[in-house]
Amino acid sequence: MTKEISTSMIDTFSDKVRSAAENKVMQDAIMKNGIKAATLNGDAVVSMNPVFSEEIETGKVTDQKQSGRCWMFAALNTFRHKFSDAFHIKDFELSQNYTLFWDKFEKANYFLESILNTAAEPLDGRLVSWLMDTPQQDGGQWDMLVAIIEKYGVVPKQAMPETFQSSRTPVLNQLLNARLREDAGILRVMSADGKSRDALEAVKTEMLGDIYRILAFSLGEPPKVFDFEYRDEDKKFHRDLGITPQEFFKKYIGLDLNDYVAVINAPTQDKPYKKTYTVQYLGTVVGGHKIKYLNVDMETLKSLAVSQIKANESVWFGCDVGQYSDNTQGIMDTSLFDFDAAFGTKFKMTKAERLDYKHSCLTHAMVLTGVNLVDGKPNRWKVENSWGEKWGTKGYFVMSDRWMDEYTYQVVINKKYLSDELKAAFEQEPIELKPWDPMGALAVMQ
């Protein structure tokens, strides 16, 4: 039987709030200063000392500004760390605008192909509704950038610098999604009228021409070849003329991206450990590198990250950065705010429950560049963010190991650090997850 909220019920709740004098003090503190400031745990702040036993020298942090390109910045940052060590260039950056252009262009094609492949599905069904919700966006995953780089390579920032719109993407996204939703409607009507796939693909190609023009006007056209000139830290001048983006990646970054594995921790009942997973309708390049995760327990995930850091290689990782974090101080710790004591209630959901009940998922990607080990076990981690130097310690954050356990979902690890058992597990055919599964979440935090 339905029972509405009654006056007596409200009176009971109000009496409980007013019954203790300390409640009034907490109420006033929160109303004046906000929840986080009023509940900040000073002991937690002190314990998050930005000093680490294992640390990679990485230099000045980058700034994604008003865009959701964190996953892209994080991946390119791992590449530039390697480049800077090898070629002795301080604060070198790869062009995030270059990868942004091709990511958006490929996402547009991926969306339109998905529309053609689901033309028989009802418009108000869950799948088509999910596709229409966000035709393309800034967010992404490691494997999506791998697909872009394998096809288009990379360029230095000087070859395709930032533009007004690359650093402020909301208006661009609004226009692209308006164009793509309209195009989706056209393609669905044509399909319903019995047009051949060849005819649909011809119209789709024209539609992509519109997308390319919007991107070219907003971001500039990506270079096909460019000249690379730089002076290293020893003041020696270097010049490389007429190099392509693919040649640049091979020559100056020199990584085989197929050596890297996306390792996740998803402790939900539907995802057994030591199995691989992919997500339906999640990708960037049609026919390109596919999303594939290896699910492991958290201790294994952390030990892999420690091994890679100790070998002087930074680690791309995805997490839910908005949980128990303070951006100004650059701290992420489950003890940072004492919400339980302040409100007289307990927040007890497990990591699995937070995933199952949509309270948490991967929202942001950053780079692990250090770890503090005590008796061989981590107690805090150094994090390179991409929000500029005004946050944290010149852009670097400190993450407690407790926070790592609860809110980190993915790391990217070189296969050489995996055990033989995990290598064999990764070679399994992936289990397909639904498009709306929490492991299909994209890192998009601005």
Side-chain angles (χ1 to χ4, degrees):
M1 180 178 178
T2 303
K3 185 175 182 180
E4 72 279 4
I5 295 174
S6 65
T7 301
S8 62
M9 190 187 298
I10 294 172
D11 289 341
T12 300
F13 297 153
S14 180
D15 289 343
K16 287 183 179 180
V17 168
R18 296 169 181 272
S19 63
E22 60 268 24
N23 285 354
K24 176 61 174 171
V25 175
M26 182 56 67
Q27 181 185 37
D28 288 345
I30 291 174
M31 289 175 65
K32 179 176 177 55
N33 302 295
I35 293 173
K36 285 190 171 182
T39 62
L40 184 68
N41 181 352
D43 291 340
V45 174
V46 171
S47 69
M48 291 295 100
N49 185 15
V51 177
F52 308 88
S53 63
E54 309 290 333
E55 193 168 3
I56 301 168
E57 186 66 35
T58 51
K60 185 178 179 180
V61 301
T62 54
D63 190 351
Q64 68 190 76
K65 299 185 179 178
Q66 287 79 53
S67 71
R69 297 174 290 166
C70 56
W71 59 288
M72 192 177 289
F73 270 70
L76 295 178
N77 283 341
T78 64
F79 301 154
R80 78 183 181 113
H81 298 158
K82 184 177 185 301
F83 176 92
S84 295
D85 284 345
F87 297 97
H88 309 291
I89 305 179
K90 187 177 181 180
D91 298 328
F92 172 82
E93 286 189 51
L94 294 164
S95 173
Q96 303 93 356
N97 188 25
Y98 179 82
T99 48
L100 177 68
F101 183 103
W102 292 123
D103 176 63
K104 289 196 172 300
F105 190 58
E106 289 285 350
K107 278 177 178 170
N109 184 55
Y110 195 97
F111 169 75
L112 294 175
E113 282 293 307
S114 297
I115 291 301
L116 292 176
N117 292 334
T118 59
E121 295 284 333
L123 182 61
D124 60 353
R126 187 172 188 182
L127 177 55
V128 177
S129 293
W130 180 86
L131 290 170
M132 293 297 187
D133 187 53
T134 313
Q136 66 77 48
Q137 60 172 301
D138 288 354
Q141 290 265 5
W142 168 269
D143 285 328
M144 295 167 75
L145 191 64
V146 170
I148 294 295
I149 292 172
E150 286 181 342
K151 187 170 182 178
Y152 296 103
V154 296
V155 303
K157 195 165 189 173
Q158 69 192 50
M160 190 171 177
E162 294 287 279
T163 69
F164 180 93
Q165 219 63 66
S166 70
S167 298
R168 303 165 185 83
T169 55
V171 173
L172 176 59
N173 285 329
Q174 185 180 33
L175 287 174
L176 290 173
N177 287 335
R179 178 73 273 157
L180 289 170
R181 289 189 180 104
E182 183 176 338
D183 291 344
I186 293 169
L187 291 175
R188 282 180 62 87
V189 169
M190 289 180 63
S191 179
D193 288 343
K195 300 296 184 183
S196 69
R197 185 63 183 244
D198 287 345
L200 292 168
E201 289 289 348
V203 172
K204 188 203 77 171
T205 299
E206 294 179 7
M207 294 171 171
L208 288 174
D210 290 338
I211 297 297
Y212 188 94
R213 185 166 56 255
I214 292 171
L215 291 172
F217 288 3
S218 302
L219 307 177
E221 281 199 273
K224 295 181 175 65
V225 295
F226 61 94
D227 298 335
F228 181 45
E229 298 175 322
Y230 68 94
R231 194 177 295 278
D232 63 27
E233 292 180 3
D234 297 324
K235 307 303 181 184
K236 185 178 180 180
F237 180 78
H238 303 263
R239 175 182 288 137
D240 197 345
L241 301 178
I243 190 169
T244 70
Q246 294 87 347
E247 290 168 343
F248 181 86
F249 182 82
K250 183 177 181 180
K251 182 175 181 178
Y252 290 98
I253 307 302
L255 292 174
D256 183 351
L257 297 180
N258 290 311
D259 287 341
Y260 290 82
V261 175
V263 177
I264 63 170
N265 175 245
T268 51
Q269 287 189 357
D270 64 327
K271 299 180 184 69
Y273 291 146
K274 297 180 182 177
K275 299 289 185 183
T276 62
Y277 301 88
T278 190
V279 183
Q280 296 172 341
Y281 292 98
L282 182 65
T284 301
V285 178
V286 174
H289 190 92
K290 298 184 184 303
I291 298 285
K292 188 177 183 182
Y293 309 131
L294 173 63
N295 195 21
V296 302
D297 64 86
M298 200 62 202
E299 288 305 311
T300 299
L301 183 149
K302 291 192 295 184
S303 70
L304 292 171
V306 169
S307 295
Q308 191 156 302
I309 290 170
K310 290 177 75 172
N312 204 44
E313 184 173 2
S314 53
V315 179
W316 187 104
F317 83 108
C319 64
D320 188 0
V321 74
Q323 305 277 0
Y324 290 89
S325 64
D326 183 272
N327 294 343
T328 301
Q329 298 185 82
I331 294 174
M332 298 177 288
D333 181 27
T334 54
S335 302
L336 190 57
F337 305 106
D338 200 345
F339 299 140
D340 290 4
F343 293 104
T345 187
K346 291 189 177 296
F347 299 91
K348 300 184 294 184
M349 293 178 78
T350 65
K351 189 175 188 178
E353 289 169 340
R354 287 192 293 270
L355 287 169
D356 282 338
Y357 290 92
K358 312 301 180 187
H359 181 62
S360 182
C361 65
L362 186 154
T363 62
H364 189 50
M366 297 179 284
V367 183
L368 298 173
T369 61
V371 61
N372 194 59
L373 300 177
V374 179
D375 296 327
K377 296 290 186 181
N379 70 348
R380 62 183 181 268
W381 301 75
K382 183 179 181 181
V383 175
E384 180 181 359
N385 206 343
S386 55
W387 293 344
E389 292 190 299
K390 65 180 180 179
W391 306 108
T393 304
K394 293 186 176 180
Y396 289 89
F397 282 36
V398 182
M399 173 177 65
S400 74
D401 192 60
R402 297 181 300 271
W403 197 97
M404 177 79 155
D405 288 340
E406 296 298 326
Y407 297 110
T408 290
Y409 295 107
Q410 183 177 351
V411 294
V412 173
I413 300 295
N414 192 305
K415 287 181 182 177
K416 65 184 178 182
Y417 300 113
L418 273 61
S419 66
D420 290 341
E421 182 183 15
L422 291 179
K423 288 176 183 176
F426 184 73
E427 296 306 317
Q428 298 173 88
E429 192 67 23
I431 298 166
E432 281 196 331
L433 304 174
K434 297 294 185 183
W436 39 85
D437 189 274
M439 288 299 106
L442 300 180
V444 72
M445 192 77 173
Q446 295 183 19

